[in-house]
Amino acid sequence: MNAPAGPTPPILVAGVGADGWFGLGERVRAAITACDVLFGSPRQLALVPGGPGERIPWPSPLLPALPGLLAAWEGRRIGVLASGDPMFFGIGVTLARLVGPEALEVHPQPSSASLACARLGWPVAATPVVSAVARRLESVLPELADGRRLLVLSEDEHTPKSLAELLCACGFGGSALTVFDQLGGPAEARRDGTAAGWHHAPGDPLNLVAVRCVADPGAPRRTRLPGLADTAFTGDGQLTKSEVRALTVTALAPAPGELLWDVGGGSGSIAIEWCRTESTCRAVAFERVAARREQIAVNSAALGVPGVVVRGELTAELAGDDGPDPDAIFVGGGLTQPGLFDLCWRRLRPGGRLVANAVTAESEAFLLESRARHGGALRKFQIYRGEPLGGFTAWRPQLPVAQWSVTKPG
């Protein structure tokens, strides 16, 4: 479609609550009816009274088609309908990233989280929210702690039951669940129960689950701090042990939104612990052994970070690759492989951190040479664990680990 001459009007992004059209203010209703085209779900589009503008339901999948849809109506008044607050896990976030916030005119309604906290008397600012919409439900696991309260945005009507089953499997079967259907609308409904005793039939697809976490007796305690017990990971024993793992992730210094490359992933423990520190941290684990790649994926899901990307051997995977450069790199294997370190160093962004651990004399010698060329800090750890010896306790030494950490010049 050809765009008419003149400046491009901003894209209207209007949040619509469960109370529909009449829950909107006059200004927002006038802006919606003035649009040349409205995009939204069929349910949202059906809420708007008839008008001259064209109405286009979102295609599936949406993200690949979105740039083309906007380009086809460039120069015209585009309206986008969203649920509640468009900037709360909504289409407004995607559009701001795609076209820039200055190209949007956003009119939010109360979010489902605000409405749920209002019903429950919970403080919004202190209540974490996990979205299961187009995401793996296991992402809720790092948020679980005895006595904690959180909200889960459901994918559909089956999410509450799936969440109850997941909580039971992870030692939180006693947790109290409250499911709100159609929050803020005339059909609003509430169902209460526990994860272990959840027998409610599926309700409305538009729902939210409030969770009051109760840990079962003996349930493993898993915080976001690095250093999970070695028994939290399954695999063939190729694992950075708990104490060294805590020191290694600390040296990598994760920050929100940053990307880690875990080279020689083994069981995936470093990538997993990195991602557990903050929900927006990302990681790619490179591992040449297929069975270990499968195990990394299993461990990532079991420990609540199913978004860890698992790839094969680094040099083969990156041949001709132009993906994003990492903020940090951990090299736990393959240090002496020709060209591997140079590739990592070249791809590490300026100001990024590289940490390498060595347990053999050959790889330790490489660390010494690398430190002489690039600077950084060298440390060596010797961990002892108390283990039974007859009727007594003896200190069993673990393999000593040499560690080099360095920041790439900006």
Side-chain angles (χ1 to χ4, degrees), residues 293-334:
R293 292 197 295 272
E294 295 174 3
Q295 201 58 58
I296 292 171
V298 170
N299 286 332
S300 299
L303 292 170
V305 285
V308 171
V309 177
V310 186
R311 301 179 65 174
E313 194 275 327
L314 179 128
T315 55
E317 288 284 335
L318 297 185
D321 181 87
D322 59 351
D325 292 335
D327 301 284
I329 297 177
F330 170 65
V331 184

Side-chain angles (χ1 to χ4, degrees), residues 51-232:
E54 187 169 346
R55 304 180 186 199
I56 302 178
W58 290 126
S60 181
L62 169 59
L63 292 183
L66 192 54
L69 289 173
L70 298 180
W73 288 87
E74 185 178 1
R76 308 295 293 273
R77 181 62 162 155
I78 297 173
V80 172
L81 302 182
S83 295
D85 185 347
M87 306 308 292
F88 183 74
F89 293 98
I91 187 65
V93 178
T94 302
L95 289 171
R97 187 168 54 243
L98 183 64
V99 301
E102 66 282 351
L104 304 179
E105 177 189 331
V106 181
H107 294 273
Q109 290 288 302
S111 70
S112 57
S114 294
L115 292 171
C117 286
R119 306 290 188 269
L120 297 165
W122 293 4
V124 179
T127 304
V129 180
V130 179
S131 175
V133 180
R135 295 173 174 87
R136 295 275 295 273
L137 189 56
E138 291 93 342
S139 299
V140 75
L141 297 179
E143 300 290 347
L144 302 181
D146 190 47
R148 198 173 195 206
R149 301 182 296 197
L150 60 126
L151 302 175
V152 179
L153 307 181
S154 293
E155 169 76 8
D156 55 31
E157 68 272 26
H158 303 294
T159 300
K161 180 181 179 182
S162 298
L163 176 61
E165 293 172 347
L166 179 65
L167 292 171
C168 290
C170 295
F172 283 84
S175 299
L177 305 184
T178 298
V179 176
F180 292 104
D181 294 338
Q182 289 285 339
L183 263 170
E188 180 175 321
R190 171 173 174 165
R191 291 166 286 154
D192 294 278
T194 64
W198 192 259
H199 301 301
H200 294 283
D204 193 272
L206 187 63
N207 71 82
L208 172 149
V209 188
V211 183
R212 303 167 187 83
C213 298
V214 177
D216 300 338
R221 181 177 173 83
R222 291 173 177 164
T223 74
R224 286 189 177 274
L225 296 177
L228 290 174
D230 295 342
T231 53

